[in-house]
Amino acid sequence: MDHTFLSALLLLLLVLDPFGSLPIFISVMRNVAPERRQRVALRESAIAFGVLLLFMFTGQAFLSLMHLS
């Protein structure tokens, strides 16, 4: 694997803090029917993945547009 990919993955995991977000996720999912929870979790994960992909491919152009380096 590329060193850049590993450092980006580690940084992403540290920023997102999936274990710290778990209590919030559980409390939000409390009102969702048990048979729908997996679908909702997969849908939200797919949306987050799509946003990450969008910024991965267009992030540099966005930063240039905002005059940020």
Side-chain angles (χ1 to χ4, degrees):
M1 277 195 200
D2 187 34
H3 183 269
T4 306
F5 176 77
L6 288 176
S7 64
L9 179 66
L10 180 63
L11 180 63
L12 186 63
L13 285 175
L14 289 172
V15 168
L16 292 178
D17 188 22
F19 296 115
S21 301
L22 200 55
I24 297 169
F25 179 76
I26 290 171
S27 67
V28 168
M29 295 296 279
R30 183 175 298 139
N31 297 328
V32 177
E35 57 274 359
R36 287 194 60 221
R37 288 182 185 161
Q38 185 175 6
R39 270 193 319 188
V40 170
L42 288 174
R43 183 188 67 202
E44 301 307 318
S45 296
I47 291 170
F49 182 69
V51 170
L52 287 172
L53 278 179
L54 176 72
F55 278 101
M56 185 175 82
F57 290 115
T58 63
Q60 191 63 41
F62 178 73
L63 289 174
S64 296
L65 180 69
M66 301 297 288
H67 302 289
L68 297 170
S69 60

